[in-house]
């Protein structure tokens, strides 16, 4: 009897995956645990392995298709084996919200409409075309300048879903504070001049891990009405890509030295950019840091990475004139934006965390030990 190869559900939040590349074709012989197909899911890619040895009898999902988790991707069996080809567990034809509304207004049966959008998606133009017996291309013509449409799919779709769920399901509150980072930046530059390649961001991440040790209420998750505070800090570090954002996780970051933390963040970021990071390396964080300082941003409202209860946004360093007795001196200030889930954390504990972080950054020598 043929064995089904299904799309794994690599994490509880994984709903779907996209077939990127088939490594094998129908008729190929495969061994147990041999890579069959590359899948993009949860903002990363990984291979699905052969569960048994045998021959590829049928491939049910083509490259480029996105299907729900646990969908049957292929069948493996003996050469020439008769198979009862299962109906692929694929979603029905996608229909845009505007198309559904237009069909209702015009009394059009969507079952009778042929979609011309990406992947056969039914668009507003297809509905109007069916109702008026006019080619969809003509319906969609516009007198204005040409436009570009980009399907909300793949990584962008996952991000959109997660961000929407985060905003909808939480009572999010953002606290912002300017912190004097002059001494920290000076120490980072001194270390770099001596040949120790650590960045300001590395110092910030180390300072965050130290501060979280004193504020466990922020190193926590909220799921099913249960708040779980963690003794170990698994720090998520947001890495921006051209088509989205991935958050790899530095495990037990509180136990790592500044140099070790820096090296691991650099390695994870590089593997994120080359799409070689594994699903297990981008799940299970307990607190997240996202830095937009390199883009000239002073402050912003970071959105919490579910199911965590807090996220810290880091802005750029800016020289600010400050009073020193009767004199005015220039200091390097960074604005930190802390978003908390007000269901699990009140404003005062969030403010106290920022206070502790400010004290650590003001006296950064211990961070480099």
């Amino acid at each position: 009897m043929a064995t089904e190869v299904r799309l794994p559900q690599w994490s509880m939040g994984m709903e779907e995956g996209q077939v990127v590349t088939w490594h094998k074709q129908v008729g190929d012989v495969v061994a147990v645990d041999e890579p069959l197909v590359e899948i993009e899911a949860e903002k990363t890619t990984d291979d699905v392995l052969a569960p048994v040895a045998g021959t590829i009898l049928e491939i049910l999902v083509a490259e480029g298709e996105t299907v729900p988790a646990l969908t049957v991707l292929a069948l493996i069996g003996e050469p020439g084996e008769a198979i009862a080809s299962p109906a692929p567990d694929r979603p029905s034809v996608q229909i845009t919200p505007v198309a559904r509304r237009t069909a209702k207004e015009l009394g059009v049966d969507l079952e009778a409409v042929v979609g011309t959008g990406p992947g056969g998606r039914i668009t507003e133009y297809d509905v109007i075309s069916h109702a008026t017996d006019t080619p969809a291309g003509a319906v969609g013509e516009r007198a204005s300048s040409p436009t570009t449409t980009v399907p909300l799919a793949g990584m962008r779709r996952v991000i959109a879903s997660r961000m929407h769920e985060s905003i909808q399901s939480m009572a999010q509150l953002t606290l912002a504070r300017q912190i004097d980072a002059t001494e920290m930046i000076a120490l980072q530059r001194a270390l770099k001049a001596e040949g120790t390649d650590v960045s300001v961001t590395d110092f910030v991440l180390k300072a965050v891990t130290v501060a979280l040790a004193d504020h466990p209420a922020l190193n926590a998750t909220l799921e099913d009405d249960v708040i779980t505070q963690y003794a170990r800090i698994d720090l998520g570090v947001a890495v921006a890509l051209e088509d989205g954002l991935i958050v790899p996780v530095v495990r037990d970051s509180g136990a790592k030295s500044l140099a070790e933390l820096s090296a691991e963040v650099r390695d994870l970021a590089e593997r994120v950019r080359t799409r070689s990071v594994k699903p297990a390396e981008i799940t299970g964080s307990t607190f997240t840091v996202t830095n937009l300082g390199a883009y000239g941003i002073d402050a912003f409202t970071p959105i919490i990475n579910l199911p965590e209860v807090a996220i810290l946004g880091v802005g750029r360093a800016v020289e600010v004139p400050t009073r020193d007795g009767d004199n005015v001196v220039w200091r390097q200030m960074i604005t930190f934006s802390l978003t908390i889930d007000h269901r699990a954390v009140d404003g005062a504990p969030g403010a106290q965390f920022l206070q502790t972080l400010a004290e650590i950054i003001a006296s950064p020598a211990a961070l480099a030990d």
Side-chain angles (χ1 to χ4, degrees), residues 154-165:
M155 183 187 302
R156 190 72 260 157
R157 182 176 178 181
V158 172
I159 293 173
S161 175
R162 291 288 180 81
M163 295 299 98
H164 184 261
E165 182 182 359

Side-chain angles (χ1 to χ4, degrees), residues 16-72:
E16 63 184 15
Q18 182 182 45
V19 173
V20 178
T21 304
W22 279 101
H23 302 309
K24 302 293 182 179
Q25 300 302 321
V26 173
D28 288 350
V29 176
V30 298
V32 176
D33 291 337
E34 187 173 0
L36 296 180
V37 58
E38 182 181 24
I39 299 292
E40 178 180 328
E42 293 291 277
K43 303 186 285 185
T44 187
T45 59
D46 204 358
D47 287 327
V48 174
L49 307 181
V52 297
T55 300
I56 302 293
L57 301 179
E58 188 171 3
I59 289 177
L60 299 171
V61 181
E63 293 180 356
E65 285 194 62
T66 298
V67 294
L70 305 181
T71 293
V72 178

Side-chain angles (χ1 to χ4, degrees), residues 253-337:
S253 61
K256 292 178 168 63
S257 68
L258 177 64
E260 291 169 337
L261 185 63
S262 175
E264 186 164 344
V265 168
R266 189 179 298 112
D267 172 66
L268 285 168
E270 177 60 26
R271 289 192 290 113
V272 163
R273 296 186 181 102
T274 58
R275 304 301 175 95
S276 60
V277 69
K278 299 299 182 182
E281 295 176 305
I282 62 169
T283 57
S285 54
T286 56
F287 184 92
T288 296
V289 176
T290 177
N291 190 338
L292 292 179
Y295 301 94
I297 298 300
D298 294 314
F300 56 104
T301 304
I303 298 175
I304 294 173
N305 185 21
L306 289 168
E308 297 165 25
V309 302
I311 183 172
L312 184 68
V314 184
R316 62 173 178 162
V318 181
E319 282 196 323
V320 176
T322 58
R323 182 181 292 278
D324 181 16
D326 293 331
N327 300 316
V328 173
V329 296
W330 290 88
R331 306 291 291 179
Q332 296 272 5
M333 307 296 287
I334 297 177
T335 299
F336 290 83
S337 305

Side-chain angles (χ1 to χ4, degrees), residues 5-18 39-42 66-73 89-91:
V5 179
R6 291 182 176 269
L7 174 62
Q9 189 169 28
W10 284 314
S11 69
M12 292 297 294
M14 177 178 165
E15 298 179 355
E16 63 184 15
Q18 182 182 45
I39 299 292
E40 178 180 328
E42 293 291 277
T66 298
V67 294
L70 305 181
T71 293
V72 178
L73 302 176
D89 306 330
R90 306 183 191 186

